[in-house]
């Protein structure tokens, strides 16, 4: 008389099979759309800056180039990590803090580089367009900082005593869903 396996399966299959995990504990649809806009605006600012063929004071142009390219690459990386299951495999447990510091720092750097580039460019149409997209990217990064502060709150505040330090699903192991079958031997 065979009644089936002694132990039930210990894993629960993922029904959807999707690699795209939005919304999740770190990124909701609104912030993901804002991060996508940051990527696009940074890309456009970088491309427009690259079309500038000559400059009188090249330092601000190079600084703007560095900031727009870095913002493009790092924001794309962060968006990819946070919107897929890859953020679980990296080994970082402080995603909200990392995201907040990166976004706030990028906001500041984009604002400084856009302001300095706006003050020192020669007024050609590509330079002006690059500055405009630099300020639009700054606004997108600032909006992300404001939404982070309003929605989940300041990521560095102390956790209540009963709550684990991490903010993600890795912070607390899930309890077993069913008990093991008794051994009738």
């Amino acid at each position: 008389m065979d009644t089936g396996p002694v132990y039930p399966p210990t894993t629960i299959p993922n029904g959807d099979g999707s690699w795209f995990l939005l919304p999740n504990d770190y990124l909701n649809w609104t912030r993901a759309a804002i991060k996508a806009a940051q990527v696009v605006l940074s890309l456009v600012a970088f491309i427009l800056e690259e079309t500038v063929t000559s400059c009188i004071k090249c330092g601000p142009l190079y600084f703007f180039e560095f900031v727009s390219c870095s913002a493009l690459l790092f924001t794309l990386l962060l968006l990819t990590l946070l919107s897929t299951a890859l953020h679980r495999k990296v080994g970082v447990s402080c995603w909200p803090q990392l995201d907040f510091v990166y976004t706030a720092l990028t906001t500041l750097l984009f604002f400084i580089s856009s302001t300095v580039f706006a003050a020192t460019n020669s007024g050609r149409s590509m330079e002006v367009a690059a500055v405009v997209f630099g300020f639009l990217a700054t606004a997108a990064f600032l909006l992300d900082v404001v939404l982070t502060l309003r929605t989940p709150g300041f990521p560095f505040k102390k956790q209540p005593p009963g709550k684990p330090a991490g903010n993600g699903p890795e912070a607390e192991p899930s309890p077993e869903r069913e008990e093991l079958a008794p051994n009738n031997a």
Side-chain angles (χ1 to χ4, degrees):
M1 177 167 143
D2 186 23
T3 60
V6 176
Y7 297 107
T10 57
T11 58
I12 299 171
N14 185 0
D16 61 1
S18 176
W19 57 270
F20 193 66
L21 305 174
L22 278 180
N24 61 40
D25 290 341
Y26 305 115
L27 197 61
N28 59 26
W29 284 108
T30 305
R31 289 196 55 240
I34 291 170
K35 288 205 176 297
Q38 292 167 358
V39 169
V40 170
L41 293 170
S42 298
L43 174 65
V44 172
F46 178 71
I47 290 172
L48 289 170
E49 174 276 326
E50 284 296 316
T51 61
V52 175
T53 56
S54 64
C55 56
I56 298 169
K57 292 184 178 181
C58 295
L61 177 71
Y62 297 151
F63 181 54
F64 185 84
E65 174 184 18
F66 169 75
V67 171
S68 60
C69 183
S70 298
L72 164 67
L73 295 175
F74 286 123
T75 307
L76 183 60
L77 175 65
L78 190 62
L79 179 62
T80 302
L81 286 171
L82 293 180
S83 64
T84 63
L86 290 174
H87 69 274
R88 296 179 187 146
K89 298 180 183 343
V90 175
V92 175
S93 62
C94 57
W95 286 111
Q97 293 89 348
L98 180 85
D99 184 18
F100 179 77
V101 169
Y102 164 74
T103 306
L105 184 63
T106 304
T107 302
L108 179 67
L109 289 175
F110 236 131
F111 179 73
I112 292 170
S113 68
S114 297
T115 303
V116 172
F117 188 39
T120 60
N121 71 43
S122 59
R124 291 190 200 112
S125 62
M126 288 301 175
E127 292 172 326
V128 172
V131 167
V132 167
F133 276 94
F135 281 119
L136 288 173
T138 302
F141 280 98
L142 182 62
L143 179 62
D144 196 7
V145 169
V146 169
L147 280 178
T148 300
L149 290 174
R150 284 187 160 199
T151 309
F154 187 64
F156 291 100
K157 67 182 174 187
K158 291 246 182 207
Q159 297 290 334
K163 189 170 180 168
N167 292 337
E170 301 88 13
E172 189 176 326
S174 61
E176 288 188 29
R177 298 190 188 269
E178 63 182 72
E179 296 181 24
L180 294 175
N183 189 358
N184 293 333

